[in-house]
Amino acid sequence: MPFGSKASGAARKLCAVSVDLDEIPCYTAIHGLSLPLSEAAQQAVYRRALPRLAALFDAHGVRATLFAIGHDLEHAHASAALRELAAQGHEIGNHSYSHRYDLTRMREHEMRAEVARGIEAIERAVGLRPRGFRAPGYTFTDTLSRVLQELEVGYDSSVFPCPAYYAPKLLAIGAYRMLARPTRSIADHPRVLTAPGDPYRMGESYTRRGRGLLELPIGVTRDATGRLPFIGTSLTLAGRTGAGVLCRLIEGRELINLELHGIDAADAEEDELTSLRDAQPDLRKSAATKLDILSATLERLSRAGYRFVTLAEAADAFG
Ligand SMILES: [Zn+2]
């Protein structure tokens, strides 16, 4: 048992890297765009970005947690890629069946079906039942927490208690409404900002500590530093120096839960995604530049004494 009981006084230093495998049509939906994208472009996350990320993880000895959307696994190229990565030791998690951004507004039985069908699709594709769940768009509710527990999900990793993410998201949704662009994005309840930034068991409200489902919140810098977002997009947009500063501000947390998206390793030119670049600022940086920043980040966290684990292993350590 590599983690065991916590040695007295010694803080755990674990880093879990996860990737949400939202395929390109998720991004056109969130920006309310209908773009004429080639089939290759529409499959760029699984076909182009995922192999680049797998190489990055290999170089740093990282076994990651890959959150897959169930319906993508009906495509043979996607399920084959995940089977291969699972065989290499990466964990596969459930990112729901069809990535409905309004999952938390659906009726409870529909919500349950979305989660359950995601589990079944992964079992079919990979041969293993996923332990973890990540909600589309980080949006969470007490009803979803209950549904996950009924389905015996081992842990959740969706809560993102980050003011710097929350406020701009509200602004973006408002702006899209004014432009009459039908974004699929919805905002969480503001109480999410009061949720713990470290692993906890959910209580009566999912934002409070209790004895329910284990939550591994998405990475934010230490509370005293304003809980800045420590995710792929913020690191790659911050650049190498900015990413180094964010590392310094998160170091000290017992678990660094670094969440990436497949698109973080996409390249507008090479992957035929130039038409999405205006709406998706991270596509203005090349895949090579973004991977270089992520590589420097992993290197730095490793040097700071963090050990890479999957989220399931983090759940064992903190559960
Ligand atoms: Zn997603």
Side-chain angles (χ1 to χ4, degrees):
M1 186 69 196
F3 311 109
S5 58
K6 189 177 170 184
S8 57
R12 283 169 287 202
K13 290 174 104 175
L14 302 181
C15 175
V17 183
S18 59
V19 186
D20 296 0
L21 292 172
D22 304 21
E23 196 43 281
I24 298 301
C26 292
Y27 294 92
T28 50
I30 206 164
H31 298 303
L33 299 170
S34 68
L35 298 174
L37 291 170
S38 67
E39 187 178 86
Q42 292 189 41
Q43 300 178 344
V45 165
Y46 273 91
R47 289 194 188 275
R48 311 284 304 188
L50 189 51
R52 294 179 188 129
L53 286 171
L56 171 76
F57 297 152
D58 272 354
H60 291 274
V62 171
R63 285 170 303 110
T65 302
L66 310 171
F67 284 99
I69 299 169
H71 74 57
D72 287 338
L73 303 181
E74 286 166 10
H75 297 280
H77 73 278
S79 59
L82 279 201
R83 250 193 320 278
E84 170 75 27
L85 289 163
Q88 292 169 20
H90 298 289
E91 177 193 2
I92 312 300
N94 179 12
H95 198 26
S96 81
Y97 182 73
S98 49
H99 204 265
R100 290 272 301 258
Y101 287 104
D102 60 352
L103 177 70
T104 53
R105 293 188 184 170
M106 293 169 89
R107 292 215 290 249
E108 192 167 333
H109 71 275
E110 295 169 322
M111 201 186 280
R112 186 178 296 107
E114 268 293 305
V115 178
R117 288 180 73 197
I119 293 172
E120 289 157 16
I122 290 169
E123 277 187 310
R124 259 198 313 278
V126 182
L128 288 170
R129 186 182 170 86
R131 278 180 64 186
F133 181 78
R134 176 160 290 149
Y138 314 112
T139 316
F140 205 83
T141 57
D142 293 325
T143 309
L144 181 54
S145 171
R146 186 166 65 238
V147 163
L148 295 178
Q149 288 184 88
E150 284 167 6
L151 292 170
E152 298 183 338
V153 168
Y155 68 87
D156 177 75
S157 179
S158 308
V159 171
F160 192 25
C162 178
Y165 172 79
Y166 187 80
K169 183 173 179 182
L170 280 187
L171 284 175
I173 292 171
Y176 281 143
R177 288 214 179 106
M178 284 167 67
L179 293 167
R181 269 165 54 178
T183 177
R184 297 277 172 75
S185 186
I186 61 170
D188 223 325
H189 192 280
R191 74 172 161 254
V192 68
L193 300 178
T194 66
D198 293 307
Y200 67 103
R201 285 202 175 273
M202 293 176 175
E204 291 281 308
S205 158
Y206 74 90
T207 58
R208 301 234 182 92
R209 292 177 192 278
R211 302 164 73 171
L213 181 64
L214 178 67
E215 173 63 30
L216 304 172
I218 308 280
V220 288
T221 64
R222 294 188 310 277
D223 289 4
T225 66
R227 290 189 170 192
L228 299 171
F230 195 80
I231 61 176
T233 326
S234 58
L235 293 166
T236 55
L237 290 179
R240 238 183 122 116
T241 309
V245 172
L246 288 169
C247 284
R248 208 160 63 226
L249 300 181
I250 199 169
E251 283 165 20
R253 282 211 187 270
E254 289 198 313
L255 173 66
I256 295 182
N257 185 357
L258 169 55
E259 183 232 20
L260 312 177
H261 281 89
I263 200 170
D264 292 333
D267 190 290
E269 300 289 343
E270 290 178 25
D271 304 340
E272 303 177 34
L273 295 170
T274 48
S275 58
L276 193 54
R277 199 159 39 185
D278 281 346
Q280 193 68 32
D282 45 275
L283 281 176
R284 288 172 213 155
K285 295 202 175 189
S286 71
T289 300
K290 292 182 286 189
L291 288 164
D292 179 57
I293 294 165
L294 294 175
S295 179
T297 301
L298 296 175
E299 175 68 35
R300 184 184 167 116
L301 294 176
S302 174
R303 263 191 285 121
Y306 279 87
R307 195 158 59 79
F308 296 114
V309 292
T310 63
L311 279 172
E313 289 166 343
D316 288 338
F318 289 93

